[in-house]
Amino acid sequence: MTSTRFSIITPNYNGERFLEQTLQSVISQTGSTIELEYIVIDGGSTDGSQEILQYYQENIAHTVIEPDTGPANAINKGLQQATGDVIAWLNADDLYYPRTLERVAQALQARPDAAFCFGRCPIINEQGQEIRSGITRCKEFFYPFSSRFTYQCINYLSQPALFFRRQAVEQAGLLPEDMVAAWDYDFILRLWHSGDAVQVAGSPLAAFRWHEESISGQNFQVQFKEEYLSVKKDAGSFSLQTLFHFFVRWGIVGSYSAMAQIRKKQQG
């Protein structure tokens, strides 16, 4: 297998709690066929994040520490610096599993027509234990039917386990910074215009950490509204995909709201 250069971007702001585990999961991916350009964009953290970054500075190609307007703005700064053949971002509370980049490189080399690839991505809690496995299985149900049409109907891809070809990123453009929570979904919708997505079969590539302070934990109603508006823009207001997404949106919001009420009762 020929060598592949990866640019991985980690946006961080006061993410000391999980940051070191995230950094280690990325740094450990290097190998004989994997060249890693690791870019960390810190929004001026006031916790212990900068001390952690200092400790790992030899393993980080570019570290930017300056105020930003949010994660989309931070990731855009990283995208503008990235020089890799394959680009991705991993938030400061998520993680990669061993050999993830090697497996991604193999999948993309086998499918030169694919614009990006995806894989399995369980949801974990603060302690790293898998939770909400039903949601994960529901997303994985759509993997065999993966297409731009399917993705317009329902967001079944988990961002930490997505990897994009450089050319597709350049064609899609930067992330929208005027969105609260669905800027990644909007961006991925645009990636589909550059080609298909290929699945990396087998064990999970990454883990998404859900906690009360995470974006999806705080803003899920806004997130699904923004996703619906993105589909209207991409597929058309009166398309079948937009209609289907409308009903999916309210079903998911209802389920998440019910789970939130259950957590409040348990905590109370």
Side-chain angles (χ1 to χ4, degrees):
M1 187 177 76
T2 59
S3 178
T4 302
R5 180 175 173 83
F6 282 82
S7 294
I8 306 298
I9 303 159
T10 291
N12 177 67
Y13 181 70
N14 288 342
E16 172 189 21
R17 188 177 179 192
F18 305 112
L19 179 60
E20 186 167 26
Q21 186 178 8
T22 299
L23 296 177
Q24 290 175 347
S25 79
V26 176
I27 293 166
S28 65
Q29 299 290 323
T30 55
S32 58
T33 60
I34 301 300
E35 183 181 351
L36 176 64
E37 177 186 50
Y38 197 13
I39 303 169
V40 180
I41 312 294
D42 185 281
S45 295
T46 56
D47 61 359
S49 293
Q50 294 186 29
E51 287 75 11
I52 295 173
L53 295 178
Q54 179 69 24
Y55 182 81
Y56 289 96
Q57 63 176 338
E58 293 185 1
N59 303 105
I60 302 172
H62 307 288
T63 303
V64 177
I65 300 176
E66 63 183 21
D68 56 51
T69 60
N73 179 238
I75 294 166
N76 281 339
K77 292 179 182 180
L79 291 175
Q80 291 170 321
Q81 293 195 35
T83 63
D85 307 306
V86 182
I87 301 173
W89 71 83
L90 186 72
N91 293 322
D93 47 5
D94 301 331
L95 57 87
Y96 288 149
Y97 289 111
R99 295 187 59 247
T100 284
L101 298 192
E102 180 183 339
R103 294 168 60 204
V104 167
Q106 291 173 346
L108 288 175
Q109 288 181 18
R111 282 285 306 276
D113 60 313
F116 62 104
C117 69
F118 66 92
R120 295 174 57 205
C121 182
I123 305 169
I124 61 174
N125 60 15
E126 289 100 323
Q127 292 75 40
Q129 301 166 327
E130 183 174 2
I131 58 174
R132 300 186 173 192
S133 59
I135 294 175
T136 302
R137 301 293 90 77
C138 180
K139 288 186 174 185
E140 292 176 353
F141 171 83
F142 292 95
Y143 286 3
F145 315 105
S146 186
S147 69
R148 181 183 170 206
F149 178 92
T150 310
Y151 192 64
Q152 289 169 331
C153 292
I154 182 169
N155 181 3
Y156 60 90
L157 299 179
S158 298
Q159 175 274 310
L162 287 168
F163 299 83
F164 327 115
R165 289 195 194 275
R166 179 179 181 81
Q167 300 93 319
V169 172
E170 291 174 347
Q171 182 175 336
L174 297 176
L175 279 62
E177 298 183 15
D178 58 345
M179 302 181 80
V180 174
W183 31 266
D184 53 346
Y185 182 69
D186 186 272
F187 173 76
I188 296 161
L189 281 172
R190 285 182 272 129
L191 283 175
W192 282 101
H193 293 268
S194 298
D196 291 333
V198 58
Q199 179 186 352
V200 181
S203 59
L205 298 179
F208 166 74
R209 196 184 304 270
W210 189 97
H211 50 94
E212 295 290 346
E213 294 78 28
S214 63
I215 292 175
S216 58
Q218 293 179 323
N219 299 299
F220 66 87
Q221 294 193 30
V222 175
Q223 174 188 344
F224 292 115
K225 179 181 179 180
E226 289 180 341
E227 288 186 3
Y228 171 70
L229 294 175
S230 292
V231 171
K232 285 182 65 176
K233 179 178 64 176
D234 192 63
S237 298
F238 303 104
S239 67
L240 179 61
Q241 303 96 298
T242 300
L243 177 64
F244 192 89
H245 196 106
F246 174 84
F247 290 105
V248 169
R249 167 195 171 191
W250 287 114
I252 295 175
V253 168
S255 299
Y256 276 39
S257 297
M259 287 189 290
Q261 289 300 319
I262 292 173
R263 287 195 304 273
K264 285 183 179 179
K265 290 182 179 178
Q266 292 175 340
Q267 293 170 358

